[in-house]
Amino acid sequence: MSSNIFNVNRFVLLCRQHFIHNGRFLLLSTVAYVGVVFIVLSIAQASNDLVPLDLNAFQGVMIVCVAVFAILYVGHSFPAFRSKESTINYLMLPASVFEKFLFEFVVRIIIIIPILPLLYWITFHLQGYIFATFTDATFMPIGLEYLLEIEDVPDGYHFVIYTLTSAAILLALALVFTGAVMFTKQPLVKTLFAIAMIVMFFMLYSYIVIEHLGVGRFNPPDKMLLVPMNNPEVL
């Protein structure tokens, strides 16, 4: 496909330019992520009397680490828009608007979803084997499949659980990514503030409707709707 909207060669050149100019930053970010995960796992194991972490701890720490770093990374999409000079240089790049948007979406969301859990899994085993070398505890490796497998799911609900979980992850990252597109200054802070305000408004609205307007007292029978069964005077 070759047009003014999308061209494979232009897109490849855009990718190459990004990784050439930001290779050192990406490497340092990877090292920082691995280092933070290693420290968190070490603290968790030290607080557990140096006993190696089990599967539940493995998945619990993974959710926290991956969520925090994914939100931080996605929330700083389109970094060139943070100043006027870099914005002008970015807009002058020989690539279409769609190609630039697609590149940021792929790099910030599509690629980061599998990479962060995989790096966490590698760091978990590295930390476990290092601690096992200096302690008497025996480290039991955890299979790669447990990055996705959820335990204690009732039979017949696997598809629903995995679908809802995937949708929630994509929705959270998409909201943060949208905030990075809309806001030029401090996009992550403004996005989280906007989400918090929306959630608070919804909770306040629900409380007023349910408690003060009496919707919570409505218990309609099969043939009627919105009948306040607990308040006969209304009838």
Side-chain angles (χ1 to χ4, degrees):
M1 179 180 180
S2 177
S3 66
N4 294 328
I5 298 176
F6 182 81
N7 182 278
V8 176
N9 295 329
R10 286 202 309 260
F11 188 76
V12 172
L13 290 176
L14 182 64
C15 296
R16 290 182 58 186
Q17 182 188 46
H18 173 80
F19 289 110
I20 290 174
H21 292 171
N22 300 282
R24 180 177 298 180
F25 171 76
L26 295 175
L27 179 60
L28 292 176
S29 300
T30 303
V31 174
Y33 172 72
V34 172
V36 171
V37 171
F38 188 93
I39 294 174
V40 171
L41 292 173
S42 300
I43 295 175
Q45 184 171 347
S47 62
N48 196 32
D49 297 330
L50 297 180
V51 176
L53 302 179
D54 56 7
L55 178 59
N56 292 330
F58 167 81
Q59 293 182 333
V61 177
M62 179 188 68
I63 292 174
V64 174
C65 292
V66 171
V68 171
F69 277 88
I71 290 175
L72 289 175
Y73 185 70
V74 177
H76 291 85
S77 302
F78 296 98
F81 290 161
R82 304 301 168 249
S83 65
K84 183 181 297 185
E85 294 78 8
S86 59
T87 299
I88 295 175
N89 294 331
Y90 184 74
L91 294 177
M92 294 298 292
L93 292 176
S96 65
V97 175
F98 176 75
E99 290 167 352
K100 295 174 182 177
F101 184 88
L102 179 63
F103 172 77
E104 286 290 330
F105 183 81
V106 171
V107 172
R108 298 284 176 170
I109 295 182
I110 302 301
I111 294 181
I112 208 64
I113 289 177
I115 285 182
L116 287 183
L118 183 60
L119 287 175
Y120 172 84
W121 181 82
I122 295 174
T123 308
F124 177 85
H125 286 79
L126 177 64
Q127 184 270 342
Y129 285 122
I130 291 177
F131 267 61
T133 304
F134 298 99
T135 61
D136 297 332
T138 302
F139 174 73
M140 299 298 295
I142 295 178
L144 192 62
E145 66 274 9
Y146 287 103
L147 291 176
L148 300 175
E149 184 173 344
I150 303 176
E151 288 191 333
D152 301 329
V153 177
D155 295 335
Y157 289 90
H158 287 82
F159 178 77
V160 176
I161 296 298
Y162 281 102
T163 301
L164 293 178
T165 303
S166 302
I169 294 173
L170 291 177
L171 176 62
L173 295 181
L175 288 175
V176 178
F177 184 79
T178 304
V181 176
M182 296 178 58
F183 304 114
T184 57
K185 301 295 184 181
Q186 299 179 343
L188 182 58
V189 176
K190 294 180 180 179
T191 302
L192 295 179
F193 176 77
I195 295 175
M197 293 301 297
I198 293 174
V199 172
M200 291 176 59
F201 174 78
F202 176 78
M203 293 177 62
L204 179 61
Y205 175 79
S206 301
Y207 173 77
I208 294 174
V209 170
I210 294 174
E211 295 295 332
H212 294 277
L213 298 183
V215 176
R217 298 192 300 271
F218 283 84
N219 187 16
D222 295 336
K223 297 182 180 180
M224 301 182 66
L225 297 177
L226 301 180
V227 177
M229 302 298 294
N230 297 330
N231 192 356
E233 295 180 357
V234 179
L235 297 176

